Amino acid sequence: MTALLLSAVTCLVTLCGGLLALRLQAYRGLVLAFCAGALVAGALMDVIPDALELLESVQTPWHHHHLLFSCSLGFLLFYLFEHGAHHHSDTHDHPAQYNHTCQAGAWGAAGIGVHSFFDGVAIGGAFQVGGEIAWVVTFAVLLHKIADGASTVGIMLGTQHGTRATFLMLLVTALAPLAGTLTQSLFVIPKPLLALVLGWFAGVFLYLGASSLLPAAHEAGHSRWLPLATMSGALFVYLVQRLAE
């Protein structure tokens, strides 16, 4: 019951982070730049280390190079997907490119939802183990949920989605930890599989942060503060990780 209550709190924190990003649409360029920095830093400092920790916690034939290969596939497959869509739009019309951009953004936002789902799994598993580790894991999850909510909104807005679709995806991401905790209490998901999936989405996050959010931020505004906003997003994730240690 405690794990479910704390997962519900993470849902609220994620929702607040996303709503704050929506509220600041007047500063869309800066918000997108901040989210780009947070997304890239989160992939490198949060998702990949979590996936490595999962792999190392069990006996498995999969090792860190398999995880990093999965990450590379996530990055490169999205690149190939985009390249194919660009070629298609060059030979047809612009709506095809628009549809591709929306689809890529939806997949990227869904990836954050999957990561949030695994956060809920982590909370449920930690409370099954019990002791101090349960509260340490919960605190670590809570600290980065604001960035998850803001990144979800940033990806959706940066890939030409409307406010309604953005809010719906934010709601999915916010509820994902609760679903993860409930699922963890019913089923045992193999940790190596979770690790490889997380690695794949880390590659997706890196690609979307660099190729979608940053260009969208510069298109939305030409403020000289955009690089600083990007660095602030990365610094925010770094500080959250330090506090969680």
Side-chain angles (χ1 to χ4, degrees), residues 167-228:
F167 178 75
L168 288 176
M169 187 58 77
L170 172 62
L171 197 60
V172 170
T173 302
L175 293 174
L178 191 59
T181 302
L182 286 170
T183 302
Q184 199 279 334
S185 66
L186 299 174
F187 307 100
V188 178
I189 303 174
K191 289 184 178 180
L193 176 61
L194 294 183
L196 293 178
V197 171
L198 282 176
W200 191 86
F201 276 117
V204 173
F205 297 161
L206 290 172
Y207 185 82
L208 285 173
S211 71
S212 292
L213 294 192
L214 280 179
H218 285 277
E219 288 178 8
H222 302 284
S223 172
R224 62 180 179 176
W225 299 108
L226 288 179
L228 182 60

Side-chain angles (χ1 to χ4, degrees), residues 48 52 55-56 61-70 196:
I48 291 178
L52 284 171
L55 273 183
E56 293 170 355
W62 304 103
H63 301 290
H64 65 276
H65 52 274
H66 296 113
L67 174 64
L68 295 178
F69 179 68
S70 178
L196 293 178

Side-chain angles (χ1 to χ4, degrees), residues 6-234:
L6 291 173
S7 292
V9 173
T10 67
C11 296
L12 291 176
V13 173
T14 305
L15 191 61
C16 288
L19 290 176
L20 180 63
L22 277 173
R23 181 84 173 178
L24 297 176
Q25 282 199 62
Y27 305 95
R28 178 171 175 152
L30 293 174
V31 170
L32 291 176
F34 178 88
C35 291
L39 196 63
V40 171
L44 295 174
M45 292 189 285
D46 184 18
V47 180
I48 291 178
D50 283 351
L52 284 171
E53 188 175 345
L54 276 174
L55 273 183
E56 293 170 355
S57 66
V58 293
Q59 292 291 333
T60 174
W62 304 103
H63 301 290
H64 65 276
H65 52 274
H66 296 113
L67 174 64
L68 295 178
F69 179 68
S70 178
C71 177
S72 301
L73 281 181
F75 187 100
L76 294 173
L77 287 177
F78 255 70
Y79 162 73
L80 293 175
F81 181 51
E82 182 176 46
H83 178 74
H86 272 299
H87 178 73
H88 181 74
S89 64
D90 289 341
T91 56
H92 290 80
D93 51 18
H94 292 292
Q97 174 62 18
Y98 175 82
N99 290 334
H100 150 70
T101 303
C102 286
Q103 290 172 4
W107 275 105
I112 296 180
V114 171
H115 176 58
S116 292
F117 175 85
F118 292 149
D119 282 338
V121 171
I123 290 175
F127 272 92
Q128 280 193 356
V129 173
E132 183 181 351
I133 185 63
W135 296 101
V136 171
V137 169
T138 301
F139 181 65
V141 169
L142 278 171
L143 281 176
H144 72 260
K145 297 317 289 180
I146 293 177
D148 284 354
S151 295
T152 299
V153 169
I155 287 176
M156 293 294 285
L157 293 179
T159 51
Q160 305 176 17
H161 284 275
T163 301
R164 182 179 179 183
T166 299
F167 178 75
L168 288 176
M169 187 58 77
L170 172 62
L171 197 60
V172 170
T173 302
L175 293 174
L178 191 59
T181 302
L182 286 170
T183 302
Q184 199 279 334
S185 66
L186 299 174
F187 307 100
V188 178
I189 303 174
K191 289 184 178 180
L193 176 61
L194 294 183
L196 293 178
V197 171
L198 282 176
W200 191 86
F201 276 117
V204 173
F205 297 161
L206 290 172
Y207 185 82
L208 285 173
S211 71
S212 292
L213 294 192
L214 280 179
H218 285 277
E219 288 178 8
H222 302 284
S223 172
R224 62 180 179 176
W225 299 108
L226 288 179
L228 182 60
T230 305
M231 295 302 297
S232 297

